[in-house]
Amino acid sequence: MDVRRSADFYNAAGVCEMTDPASEASAFAVQKVHEPLAREIRPGMRTLDLGCNAGRFCFAMEEMGAVPVGIDCANVPLEHARLLAAKRGSRCRFVLGDLNHLPFGPDAFDLAVFPQNIIEHSYDAVDRLAARLTTVLRPGGKLCVSARDELLKHGGDREFLDRYDAATGRVATVYTIPGKGEFEGSCHFWTAAFAVHVIGRRLRPTTVRQLPNGLFWLVFVNDRSA
């Protein structure tokens, strides 16, 4: 992911009804994984939302008993999340930063979540992120990933699959925001098996589960010794 381009896009997009944690319309994203995520949360658990946008997963994890931190590269949704946290009296904390360079010390978190946004990141970027999480997560800490499987979704669509670069899994994309212009981005061809292979080189996979809604729920454990 090009961090600058991504930040420009999400800052221009701002916060809409579908991403605003204060709106019932945004609840669908958390509802898709609420059951398996709630199983992982313990009271007082320090959690990290990787690519938090306006914070809907952070607020959901707080309701489950966690003490969440969200990190994102775009300041506009983060400012919205901070205002909402202040209104709610929330302990959620929101950090402007880059997933390529997590600004947290050793053993800072018990659990990290990477909810449905792995598609925005290359294989190399996710490998680097997983390597950094071996330090940021405490020994025995977990990474939870929810993701769609691009092969299952588009397996019969030859024209769609041919858009991806076979070596990198990347396809360039142009997004148009009315009144704001066009923004260059990219997505990557991820499958559950790819995610298990890439992240599994750094963190041990323990759960690979396809949810009724079609998403895959993957859990990895940090086997680093204290």
Side-chain angles (χ1 to χ4, degrees):
M1 180 182 71
D2 184 308
V3 176
R4 180 186 60 78
R5 287 177 178 169
S6 184
D8 287 345
F9 170 73
Y10 283 108
N11 281 329
V15 179
C16 66
E17 191 177 25
M18 300 297 286
T19 59
D20 184 353
S23 167
E24 291 184 3
S26 74
F28 75 97
V30 175
Q31 289 170 349
K32 288 181 178 180
V33 297
H34 187 279
E35 178 263 329
L37 178 58
R39 287 186 180 186
E40 300 292 343
I41 301 295
R42 300 291 180 270
M45 178 177 278
R46 304 163 299 164
T47 61
L48 174 63
D49 181 358
L50 299 161
C52 66
N53 196 261
R56 57 189 170 187
F57 275 89
C58 284
F59 293 120
M61 288 190 291
E62 184 175 44
E63 291 175 357
M64 297 174 191
V67 181
V69 173
I71 183 170
D72 202 276
C73 65
N75 195 53
V76 168
L78 286 178
E79 282 301 313
H80 183 85
R82 291 174 184 134
L83 289 173
L84 185 56
K87 288 181 181 178
R88 293 184 174 189
S90 168
R91 292 194 295 169
C92 291
R93 185 163 63 91
F94 298 98
V95 176
L96 181 66
D98 178 356
L99 298 195
N100 293 310
H101 306 283
L102 293 179
F104 308 109
D107 303 340
F109 298 100
D110 304 299
L111 179 81
V113 294
F114 201 18
Q116 296 163 234
N117 51 355
I118 194 173
I119 193 173
E120 298 181 26
H121 302 267
S122 70
Y123 308 143
D124 286 342
V126 172
D127 178 65
R128 291 192 299 270
L129 174 61
R132 178 63 179 142
L133 286 171
T134 62
T135 297
V136 170
L137 288 173
R138 66 165 175 80
K142 295 181 179 180
L143 168 65
C144 298
V145 179
S146 61
R148 67 184 184 183
D149 188 301
E150 292 294 294
L151 188 59
L152 291 181
K153 184 173 182 178
H154 299 292
D157 187 348
R158 186 75 253 174
E159 182 179 351
F160 180 87
L161 296 177
D162 285 345
R163 293 172 56 206
Y164 284 91
D165 181 278
T168 66
R170 179 183 181 274
V171 58
T173 308
V174 175
Y175 302 98
T176 301
I177 300 177
K180 300 291 181 65
E182 293 185 343
F183 296 83
E184 182 180 346
S186 64
C187 57
H188 295 80
F189 190 86
W190 281 98
T191 69
F194 287 179
V196 170
H197 172 70
V198 173
I199 300 172
R201 292 185 291 183
R202 310 290 187 173
L203 303 165
R204 176 171 56 87
T206 63
T207 300
V208 180
R209 175 185 170 193
Q210 188 172 12
L211 303 177
N213 55 38
L215 286 177
F216 276 84
W217 179 255
L218 313 174
V219 181
F220 303 83
V221 174
N222 183 19
D223 282 337
R224 174 177 62 87
S225 299

